[in-house]
Amino acid sequence: MLPPTVDLLDAIPHRRVDVEAVDHALLFAFAGSGAGGLFVDALDAAPAPTSTWSPEGYAEDLFLAPLLRSCFRLPAIGGHKTPLALTHLLRVVASPPEDPDSVVFRRAILAELVASEPLRAALTSTYDALNRFRQRIEGNAVADRIDPSRRQLDVLGCFRDLIETMAEGFATATSGLSRLRDYAERVRGLEAYRALVDLLSYDDRMATVSFRVRIGADGRVRDLELIAVEEDGKNPFVSSPMRRWQAKLELLFRGYRFGDGEVMARLLDAVYEGIRPELPALVQLFGDLELYLGALGFRDRALEAGLEVCLPELAGDGPRRLIRLFNPLLLASGIEPVPCDVDSDRHDTSVLITGPNSGGKTRLLQSLGLSQLLAQGGLFVPAAEARLVASSGLLVSLIQHTSVDQTEGRLGVELMRIRSLFERLPIGAMVILDELCSGTNPSEGEEIFELVLRMLDRLEPQAFITTHFLRFAARLERDAPVESLRFLQVVLGPNQVPTYQFAPGVATTSLAAQAAARLGVTGDQLLALIDERRQAFALAGE
């Protein structure tokens, strides 16, 4: 029977890595055959936690991989930046757990880490120790092949350091972090672990030898006197000099021909076999630790920029509220985000967002999608305060893809996007659509748009949709053909400059003229450009 696993992601512990494959890989690695990438390969092959969400519907449009790579920072190990096991981390973050207890379980771990600096330090030290164990057992340097026993002793030493770090560092933990303490205490109670500690102690300190050294005026040694030799008599691997010689003579008399190195190799194998069932859990733990350390790194990154993150209230129904919401993708790109507030009297609404280009509409959509995803994963969301309602899924359509073999025009592509939306959309899911029907003429687009809104209403979604059909949006606000419709507009400041804030209502202008002037596309600007080209052409012909 396998020992309990160390799972920091699920309320009910699960084994996600292939224990048999990992066990064999670790055994071969300990024997010295080399196993570069063992941990990452095993994590990459592990399935995601059970989830009702499908990452294909949002991971690419929300730029999830670049976000994790940039903002989920791990602590430096030995002064060097530690790379993420990105494939595994992306799979975990993109798959919010189906079990709500697991969401609560993760939130409790993060809350305790934020509240207790010693526990956070212990988590970092545990990751450091585990990383050293990983690097040592995966490595296969020339020196290791020359002295394999030395390498195996180092591997076991790293394992001992890891166990002691977990047992002592999480003694006060009350959240799921207590599983690290429980695992370490269970290993500490094994006879094989006690033998491991004795063997390492014997290797490190067979005896203490005291000398007296006399130095002459020229700085050279004149005399060296042995004062005392103190052996560790309590260690079962230490025997008296007489007993060691007696044992060697007895074995020689009986015809045995083996050296101390072979005996040490057998001892190392026996110790490893005793702790072997406990080792595969460390591979899964490595990935779990990266999730929590990465989330804390995201929080640190936000605080450095003067922003706040929080563990939101995640309710079953009611209003939605996000205070000082910011877009972490901007943070990842080195752009200073401008926080905004988003309030709604109920969650199951279709919110139309209007305003000028470059006013922050698409960035707001990304922020909302990422907040929902992170919240339901039990992680920090990019807001100072948040109340969200659990969603059955998430569908995001921000990026319009085209291909050389595309047979449909812009209207056909948009209709296919809408069809795909309803084919995949479960009841109560969050829907995020950028520029719905923007590729169609206004009369046809408005008709399709209103059809989509009416059909969405039947699915009780949490929908956010941007549009440039300002007159159409104003009519919808006035006539209210769908009761669940709500409206947000970009707030403009002095000189009609977007403030990246949002307020109830429908925008009255798209600021097309200002955008054209900013980008050099007014009549005067284009005429000047044409005159410049004509002059250049005339000069080239002379």
Side-chain angles (χ1 to χ4, degrees):
M1 180 178 177
L2 292 172
T5 192
V6 188
D7 181 4
L8 295 185
L9 299 187
D10 300 301
I12 301 175
H14 288 84
R15 288 185 177 84
R16 293 184 300 278
V17 299
D18 186 333
V19 173
E20 183 177 357
V22 169
D23 172 58
H24 289 161
L26 287 170
L27 177 62
F28 290 137
F30 184 75
S33 60
L38 185 163
F39 275 55
V40 173
D41 290 346
L43 289 171
D44 286 352
T50 304
S51 177
T52 60
W53 289 35
S54 176
E56 292 77 14
Y58 47 84
E60 184 177 0
D61 285 70
L62 293 180
F63 300 96
L64 197 52
L67 174 67
L68 297 178
R69 190 182 297 114
S70 177
C71 286
F72 273 53
R73 301 184 304 188
L74 296 179
I77 301 298
H80 301 288
K81 184 178 180 182
T82 307
L84 285 166
L86 185 61
T87 300
H88 172 262
L89 182 63
L90 177 61
R91 186 184 300 117
V92 171
V93 174
S95 305
E98 181 179 15
D99 178 17
D101 289 340
S102 293
V103 180
V104 175
F105 177 79
R106 297 181 188 183
R107 288 164 55 94
I109 289 178
L110 285 173
E112 189 170 36
L113 287 169
V114 169
S116 173
E117 190 59 39
L119 285 177
R120 178 171 180 176
L123 193 76
T124 302
S125 297
T126 298
Y127 182 70
D128 186 358
L130 182 52
N131 222 357
R132 282 187 273 112
F133 173 81
R134 176 184 69 87
Q135 292 169 350
R136 204 68 188 95
I137 199 167
E138 289 184 354
N140 192 21
V142 174
D144 295 334
R145 293 194 291 271
I146 294 174
D147 189 359
S149 293
R150 178 73 267 157
R151 171 183 171 275
Q152 291 176 337
L153 282 166
D154 289 346
V155 169
L156 295 178
C158 290
F159 178 71
R160 175 200 58 194
D161 294 344
L162 173 63
I163 294 302
E164 297 305 314
T165 298
M166 287 195 289
E168 297 169 8
F170 299 100
T172 62
T174 57
S175 69
L177 294 171
S178 61
R179 291 180 178 178
L180 299 177
R181 178 194 64 226
D182 295 344
Y183 167 79
E185 291 295 351
R186 187 179 70 249
V187 172
R188 272 177 154 184
L190 297 175
E191 182 178 348
Y193 182 75
R194 292 192 292 271
L196 179 153
V197 172
D198 288 337
L199 182 61
L200 291 172
S201 177
Y202 170 75
D203 175 66
D204 183 59
R205 183 181 176 274
M206 177 181 174
T208 301
V209 181
S210 301
F211 293 95
R212 179 182 289 115
V213 180
R214 185 162 56 87
I215 308 297
D218 58 357
R220 301 176 67 86
V221 175
R222 292 285 190 270
D223 185 35
L224 188 149
E225 179 184 356
L226 175 63
I227 297 176
V229 177
E230 179 184 352
E231 294 189 342
D232 185 4
K234 296 180 180 180
N235 192 310
F237 290 98
V238 176
S239 57
S240 67
M242 180 62 70
R243 178 59 188 140
R244 291 196 291 271
W245 278 106
Q246 182 182 353
K248 288 184 177 181
L249 289 173
E250 182 178 345
L251 291 170
L252 182 63
F253 179 76
R254 294 181 176 220
Y256 295 105
R257 299 290 188 271
F258 54 81
D260 293 341
E262 187 174 352
V263 173
M264 176 61 79
R266 297 301 177 108
L267 286 173
L268 289 168
D269 287 344
V271 168
Y272 181 85
E273 280 298 317
I275 63 170
R276 178 179 171 182
E278 304 291 343
L279 298 180
L282 299 179
V283 176
Q284 180 169 305
L285 176 61
F286 183 76
D288 293 359
L289 292 181
E290 288 203 336
L291 175 70
Y292 290 103
L293 288 171
L296 292 168
F298 169 52
R299 179 176 180 269
D300 292 342
R301 179 79 179 273
L303 291 174
E304 290 168 6
L307 302 165
E308 297 178 77
V309 300
C310 71
L311 293 171
E313 177 187 354
L314 195 59
D317 57 22
R320 176 191 297 106
R321 180 176 174 80
L322 290 144
I323 304 301
R324 291 185 58 77
L325 172 69
F326 68 91
N327 189 321
L329 294 170
L330 293 176
L331 195 64
S333 302
I335 302 172
E336 183 179 352
V338 178
C340 67
D341 297 345
V342 176
D343 274 301
S344 179
D345 61 326
R346 49 186 279 193
H347 70 281
D348 52 343
T349 59
S350 292
V351 181
L352 297 192
I353 305 171
T354 56
N357 287 320
S358 302
K361 299 189 302 298
T362 301
R363 294 300 190 183
L364 175 65
L365 295 183
Q366 292 170 337
S367 305
L368 291 166
L370 288 169
S371 295
Q372 192 73 27
L373 176 63
L374 295 171
Q376 293 200 218
L379 304 174
F380 298 115
V381 301
E385 179 185 335
R387 184 191 192 278
L388 300 173
V389 175
S391 169
S392 60
L394 175 63
L395 282 174
V396 179
S397 181
L398 304 180
I399 306 170
Q400 291 299 305
H401 299 282
T402 58
S403 61
V404 294
D405 59 349
Q406 185 172 297
T407 59
E408 296 289 345
R410 296 185 67 183
L411 173 60
V413 170
E414 185 67 0
L415 293 174
M416 290 169 61
R417 175 166 79 138
I418 294 169
R419 173 74 184 188
S420 175
L421 166 71
F422 282 98
E423 286 176 342
R424 297 184 293 166
L425 188 62
I427 293 176
M430 173 175 270
V431 185
I432 294 178
L433 299 174
D434 198 19
E435 300 297 346
L436 180 61
C437 296
S438 62
T440 64
N441 67 65
S443 60
E444 291 177 333
E446 291 174 9
E447 183 178 346
I448 297 169
F449 201 128
E450 191 166 350
L451 172 65
V452 170
L453 292 175
R454 290 201 308 270
M455 295 301 104
L456 279 177
D457 189 54
R458 293 174 175 265
L459 294 172
E460 302 173 6
Q462 304 182 41
F464 293 87
I465 307 169
T466 63
T467 180
H468 277 103
F469 296 161
L470 301 186
R471 293 182 180 177
F472 171 64
R475 178 176 66 80
L476 291 176
E477 183 184 35
R478 182 183 66 248
D479 298 343
V482 178
E483 192 276 332
S484 64
L485 271 179
R486 300 293 184 272
F487 300 85
L488 283 178
Q489 62 175 318
V490 175
V491 176
L492 301 178
N495 302 319
Q496 296 291 87
V497 176
T499 63
Y500 306 110
Q501 303 299 306
F502 297 84
V506 176
T508 57
T509 176
S510 65
L511 299 183
Q514 288 90 330
R518 178 171 54 84
L519 298 173
V521 196
T522 65
D524 291 342
Q525 289 167 323
L526 292 177
L527 282 174
L529 185 62
I530 291 170
D531 289 343
E532 181 183 329
R533 301 305 300 161
R534 283 183 176 277
Q535 291 175 10
F537 180 76
L539 289 173
E542 292 180 356

